[in-house]
Amino acid sequence: PQGHGTRVAGAVLYPDATPVAGEVESVAWIQNARVLDANNKLPDSLPPEEYLHEVVAHFHVAPRYTKIFNHSINANVRCPKQRMTSWAAKLDELSHEQEVLFIQSAGNQNRFDIGDQANPGLRAHLDAGRQPPEHQLEASMRVSNPAQSLHALTVGSVSAGVFEDAKTRSFATGEHQPSGFSRAGYGEPWSVVKPEVVEIGGDLVYAKHPPRLVRIHPDVAVELLNSTMHGQPAFAKDGVGTSFTAAKVTHIAAHLQNLFPAASPLLYRALIVQSARWPGWAEAEEDKDKVLRLIGYGLPSLERATTNSETRVTLITPDAEIIPSKQLHLYTIRIPEELRNPALEARIRVDVTLAYTALPRRTRARRTGYLETWLDWESSKLSEPHDEFLARMQNGGASAYKEFPWTLHKRKGLGEAEDTCRNRGTVQKDWAIFDSFNLPEEFAIAVRSHIGWNHLPVAGSARYCLAVSFEVVQGEVPIYSLIESAIQVEAEAQIEIQT
């Protein structure tokens, strides 16, 4: 009776708490497309591909040209493992052809009871002795269709805190631990990081002793707006779910659209993922595959996604770039000498996020054949000269220079994760932390395109946005002003050459 759509819309407007007094400036104009029936189900007569096409066709036109679509709808079982479904493939197709962003819920385990063999409920996992969050790594808890979509930004859930009394306890055992109901990765069929990010979506509690009853508890639920049509209060703290975490991330996307109204939504997707960080427990966890499967790249930050600071600077492609198959785009950032001074004793974190779309073909079972063109990125190595890096990117070959200590790396097993790598999906993030004196004079990124299902000559292309951040994590260095000065000098030099 509270109204699922009302609650999702409310979480877009008020992601943290409902304002009870004063004037509030809304972040966005929200339009609603009702596709669920009175029981919150998709009608059997309405194929998902059909309603997605019609909704985008209706809203992505003048005068508003809506380009952010919050899609808090999932199947109630895990996504299949063999190939991309028509539902997820439609999200991918529309994302590329219409240049829109779908923010997709990861899905919930809604069965609090025993369930069945194919879809065991939360009580079944507890009865089997699986201690949270280990139950979320079971195959039956994989993200649910269509959350495996490559081009959608998929959002899971973590808890704001914990609850325990004499008889019950929450699934989460600490702040920002995974919510017990939240479905996890990897996204199949290609072991893609899904969900990419998480937000606070509440948690459930369960009985410490049999029978292991599972229920919602207000101490670990989230506050949401209600529909008052059936006598409910205007808002209440009694909801949990990835439907609402997706809406909270949509709130960040709306802020980004206000900042960059003419930009491709690929930029919003890149900056949201770029802003994400792992909480403390995830940094301390040795099994990084486990972390990636449970919470992806972590919790995004409105502040990091939308602003720079004196100790953090983010450089972006101002709009989407189009790259044909079998080509590369090279980006170079000149690093000021002051930043490379050993006397600084500073530690720097570098984040790189590439977000792209390309046209899918659902009939292809291989990852490199599903998209018309697929992309990856690679950075220059420590102290590697610019010319040598460019030659290596154009002609292949090895390099004698040391790699940046990337967390995920370009190939499985080279980074801290054993079962995936950064270039599996269409949002590709990696990060490294090292001493500032190890920064090269020029930090270069190559974005490369590869042939997918389209093998015709001079055919196939992808659209992408790139974000690169430098952040001081130890020491006092005005990195923003240093990088800004270096970029201005470079721009002035280019103007002199042109004239």
Side-chain angles (χ1 to χ4, degrees):
Q2 295 96 333
H4 180 262
T6 301
R7 307 201 109 183
V8 169
V12 174
L13 291 175
Y14 315 124
D16 299 319
T18 307
V20 295
E23 294 185 3
V24 178
E25 185 176 351
S26 299
V27 68
W29 178 270
I30 297 177
Q31 301 165 100
N32 181 55
R34 180 175 177 177
V35 298
L36 303 181
D37 63 20
N39 297 313
N40 277 349
K41 304 290 184 184
L42 279 173
D44 292 338
S45 59
L46 183 62
E49 313 92 88
E50 182 178 324
Y51 83 73
L52 286 170
H53 176 84
E54 291 189 16
V55 165
V56 173
H58 180 80
F59 289 111
H60 190 56
V61 293
R64 299 195 186 279
Y65 293 105
T66 302
K67 54 186 177 181
I68 300 171
F69 290 84
N70 186 97
H71 191 252
S72 291
I73 305 173
N74 299 81
N76 57 10
V77 294
R78 61 186 174 181
C79 69
K81 195 170 184 177
Q82 283 67 39
R83 64 177 66 229
M84 197 63 74
T85 63
S86 58
W87 197 2
K90 192 65 177 181
L91 290 175
D92 290 338
E93 176 190 312
L94 291 168
S95 297
H96 180 70
E97 289 189 333
Q98 302 299 320
E99 215 170 343
V100 296
L101 173 61
F102 288 97
I103 299 181
Q104 170 69 51
S105 51
N108 310 321
Q109 177 48 274
N110 290 321
R111 305 191 74 166
F112 295 176
D113 56 6
I114 298 297
D116 53 47
Q117 189 171 0
N119 187 26
L122 294 175
R123 182 179 167 186
H125 290 294
L126 294 169
D127 288 345
R130 301 184 187 106
Q131 291 298 311
E134 300 304 320
H135 70 288
Q136 290 167 271
L137 303 177
E138 293 290 308
S140 64
M141 285 289 289
R142 189 163 61 239
V143 293
S144 54
N145 196 21
Q148 74 276 23
S149 159
L150 289 191
H151 296 345
L153 179 59
T154 303
V155 187
S157 178
V158 293
S159 180
V162 300
F163 173 82
E164 185 171 7
D165 61 17
K167 296 181 178 180
T168 60
R169 59 163 303 160
S170 58
F171 281 80
T173 56
E175 183 184 34
H176 298 156
Q177 291 271 4
S179 307
F181 57 81
S182 185
R183 290 184 173 272
Y186 291 121
E188 296 297 349
W190 304 300
S191 296
V192 175
V193 174
K194 290 283 179 179
E196 290 99 336
V197 294
V198 290
E199 255 290 357
I200 294 171
D203 199 10
L204 301 168
V205 300
Y206 64 92
K208 294 180 179 180
H209 307 289
R212 302 286 196 128
L213 300 179
V214 179
R215 60 187 175 91
I216 294 174
H217 193 285
D219 280 17
V220 285
V222 289
E223 185 176 285
L224 299 164
L225 289 186
N226 288 331
S227 165
T228 57
M229 187 182 299
H230 303 288
Q232 297 293 314
F235 60 92
K237 191 179 179 186
D238 61 357
V240 300
T242 59
S243 286
F244 315 123
T245 63
K248 291 183 177 187
V249 172
T250 300
H251 178 87
I252 300 176
H255 273 284
L256 287 166
Q257 181 170 282
N258 290 335
L259 282 176
F260 306 103
S264 165
L266 280 170
L267 180 60
Y268 315 154
R269 183 177 168 215
L271 285 172
I272 290 169
V273 173
Q274 180 82 340
S275 75
R277 294 286 188 276
W278 281 347
W281 70 264
E283 294 283 2
E285 172 63 54
E286 291 185 7
D287 187 348
K288 298 308 184 192
D289 282 291
K290 176 180 177 180
V291 173
L292 287 165
R293 290 177 63 188
L294 291 171
I295 63 168
Y297 303 112
L299 286 96
S301 160
L302 176 61
E303 179 186 1
R304 283 193 297 267
T306 58
T307 62
N308 290 308
S309 69
E310 213 29 57
T311 57
R312 183 185 67 255
V313 57
T314 298
L315 299 99
I316 60 173
T317 52
D319 204 350
E321 300 288 336
I322 296 175
I323 184 169
S325 289
K326 299 178 66 177
Q327 301 218 1
L328 72 86
H329 289 174
L330 188 68
Y331 296 86
T332 304
I333 303 166
R334 192 176 299 280
I335 306 298
E337 185 177 350
E338 301 96 310
L339 200 53
R340 295 180 281 112
N341 186 347
L344 276 180
E345 297 184 351
R347 297 277 287 171
I348 304 294
R349 172 172 170 143
V350 178
D351 288 76
V352 178
T353 301
L354 170 72
Y356 78 93
T357 63
L359 192 64
R361 180 166 285 183
R362 181 177 169 256
T363 54
R364 303 301 174 91
R366 293 175 61 245
R367 177 181 65 86
T368 54
Y370 173 67
L371 298 176
E372 183 180 32
T373 302
W374 61 277
L375 305 186
D376 65 1
W377 65 264
E378 189 165 340
S379 72
S380 55
K381 298 188 178 183
L382 293 170
S383 303
E384 182 177 23
H386 180 275
D387 292 343
E388 289 190 29
F389 174 63
L390 177 58
R392 183 162 63 87
M393 292 297 96
Q394 290 175 321
N395 307 315
S399 171
Y401 296 92
K402 287 183 64 176
E403 286 273 8
F404 273 87
W406 295 114
T407 302
L408 300 186
H409 218 284
K410 61 187 177 183
R411 283 196 294 273
K412 187 172 72 171
L414 292 181
E416 295 186 36
E418 295 292 331
D419 298 328
T420 194
C421 54
R422 70 177 177 231
N423 61 7
R424 294 288 180 91
T426 62
V427 60
Q428 301 175 5
K429 175 174 178 170
D430 213 340
W431 63 100
I433 300 175
F434 48 89
D435 295 319
S436 62
F437 59 76
N438 277 329
L439 280 165
E441 290 185 26
E442 294 180 317
F443 178 76
I445 295 283
V447 177
R448 304 182 298 182
S449 61
H450 309 268
I451 293 177
W453 58 257
N454 194 339
H455 288 263
L456 296 175
V458 198
S461 65
R463 190 186 301 114
Y464 74 88
C465 283
L466 181 68
V468 180
S469 298
F470 297 89
E471 183 175 2
V472 179
V473 295
Q474 182 180 316
E476 297 183 4
V477 183
I479 195 167
Y480 179 88
S481 53
L482 289 174
I483 295 287
E484 182 186 37
S485 298
I487 290 173
Q488 288 176 344
V489 168
E490 182 73 17
E492 289 168 5
Q494 288 179 12
I495 291 169
E496 289 175 12
I497 292 169
Q498 290 170 1
T499 56

